[in-house]
């Protein structure tokens, strides 16, 4: 299998950079006329899979599946398998982060040979970037990717992320560490990316990253699709949207049309 970065670059070139999210929030289930239980979760996910089949990558939000216990994880497994069958890359938004053998177990679950393993997974580096090494190693061995949280747009984030670590912010140190991993891999597009919010007021320097940047917050959260050009100097920017698109459901054609409109708005990034 080709490295994730190579597969992602090819998919974006063909299908555009927009990454729709599957966020089965209880309020959305109700708005779609679905039951707030595993059956409603499955119906919601099936609609999203059909609507988003033509996109490069889709991001299921793991927490909304996990809330239903084992039944929710079963739906998530089926959803990821269906997306792959449609030729879509799957980014599991799990935001895992731990140390030692626990991190290795998370790595096996989300980036190894587990039924939950996705093409890529999000991770938190805020137990120290080195704590992610088991995940980075497992992902590389299986041709998968990792998106590391760097600069998020939640109001609590800057307390940690903009704190200084020597001459750099903590967020910049995370980005620089990811850049080192990508340089060592020696691929045109690295398989390790970062997450930087669309509404972050002071963008870090992304020019040397060598990998993809996932950009949440476009649309309902206030980020503008036309304001992402030159985003911190990044070479591969992937706006991700969830509720901005999902509120157009539950009709598949309406959902697909809403996602395609946003994809057209950010096509200039590809």
């Amino acid at each position: 299998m080709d490295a994730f970065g190579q597969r992602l670059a090819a998919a974006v070139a063909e299908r555009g950079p927009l990454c729709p999210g599957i966020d089965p929030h209880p309020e959305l289930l109700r708005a779609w006329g679905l039951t707030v239980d595993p059956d409603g979760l499955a119906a919601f996910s099936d609609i999203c899979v059909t609507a988003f089949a033509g996109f490069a990558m889709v991001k299921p939000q793991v927490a909304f599946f996990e809330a239903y216990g084992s039944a929710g994880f079963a739906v998530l497994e089926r959803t990821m398998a269906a997306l792959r069958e449609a030729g879509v890359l799957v980014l599991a938004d799990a935001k895992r982060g731990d140390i030692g053998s626990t991190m290795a177990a998370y790595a096996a679950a989300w980036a190894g040979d587990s039924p939950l393993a996705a093409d890529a997974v999000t991770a938190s580096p805020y137990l120290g970037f080195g704590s992610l090494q088991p995940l980075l190693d497992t992902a590389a061995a299986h041709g998968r990717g990792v998106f590391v949280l760097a600069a998020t747009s939640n109001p609590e984030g800057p307390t940690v992320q903009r704190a200084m670590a020597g001459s750099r912010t903590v967020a910049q140190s995370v980005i620089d560490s990811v850049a080192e991993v990508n340089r060592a891999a020696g691929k045109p597009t690295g398989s390790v990316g970062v997450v930087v919010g669309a509404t972050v007021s002071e963008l870090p320097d992304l020019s040397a990253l060598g990998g993809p940047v996932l950009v949440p917050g476009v649309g309902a959260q206030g980020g503008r699709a036309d304001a992402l050009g030159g985003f911190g100097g990044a070479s591969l920017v992937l706006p991700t949207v969830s509720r901005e698109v999902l509120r157009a459901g539950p009709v598949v054609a309406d959902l697909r049309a809403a996602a395609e409109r946003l994809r057209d708005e950010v096509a200039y990034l590809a």
Side-chain angles (χ1 to χ4, degrees):
M1 181 186 296
D2 290 337
F4 170 74
Q6 294 171 274
R7 291 184 285 129
L8 177 63
V12 169
E14 180 181 350
R15 299 181 171 192
L18 187 73
C19 176
I22 301 179
D23 287 25
H25 191 284
E27 291 179 4
L28 277 170
L29 293 179
R30 295 188 189 99
W32 284 22
L34 301 172
T35 52
V36 183
D37 58 19
D39 289 338
L41 180 71
F44 184 99
S45 300
D46 289 346
I47 291 168
C48 289
V49 168
T50 303
F52 300 152
F55 287 76
M57 185 166 69
V58 171
K59 181 179 71 66
Q61 171 50 258
V62 169
F64 291 120
F65 294 85
E66 189 172 346
Y68 297 92
S70 60
F73 276 117
V75 174
L76 178 60
E77 289 178 17
R78 293 197 301 272
T79 300
M80 293 197 299
L83 287 167
R84 285 201 198 93
E85 287 173 9
V88 177
L89 296 173
V90 179
L91 169 57
D93 195 357
K95 297 183 179 71
R96 294 301 191 250
D98 215 308
I99 58 173
S101 59
T102 310
M103 189 69 243
Y106 279 138
W110 297 102
D113 293 319
S114 158
L116 287 170
D119 294 287
V121 62
T122 56
S124 173
Y126 290 111
L127 276 75
F129 188 81
S131 68
L132 298 181
Q133 199 60 53
L135 177 59
L136 297 173
D137 291 344
T138 301
H142 291 81
R144 306 190 193 279
V146 178
F147 284 85
V148 181
L149 299 178
T152 58
S153 53
N154 60 303
E156 304 86 358
T159 304
V160 174
Q161 297 159 11
R162 291 187 192 167
M164 298 304 293
S167 60
R168 304 173 293 178
T169 64
V170 172
Q172 189 65 55
S173 73
V174 169
I175 290 163
D176 293 346
S177 294
V178 171
E180 290 178 15
V181 173
N182 286 329
R183 278 195 297 272
K187 302 292 185 181
T189 301
S191 294
V192 184
V194 295
V195 181
V196 177
T199 57
V200 168
S201 58
E202 297 179 24
L203 284 176
D205 182 2
L206 298 161
S207 59
L209 180 68
V213 181
L214 188 74
V215 184
V218 175
Q221 296 178 43
R224 289 171 43 210
D226 61 354
L228 301 178
F231 193 77
S235 58
L236 181 54
V237 176
L238 307 170
T240 179
V241 292
S242 297
R243 295 194 199 185
E244 179 77 7
V245 167
L246 294 172
R247 64 190 182 189
V251 177
V252 167
D254 294 341
L255 192 57
R256 182 185 294 121
E260 288 177 344
R261 280 195 297 271
L262 271 173
R263 182 174 62 184
D264 292 343
E265 288 182 31
V266 298
Y268 70 97
L269 297 170

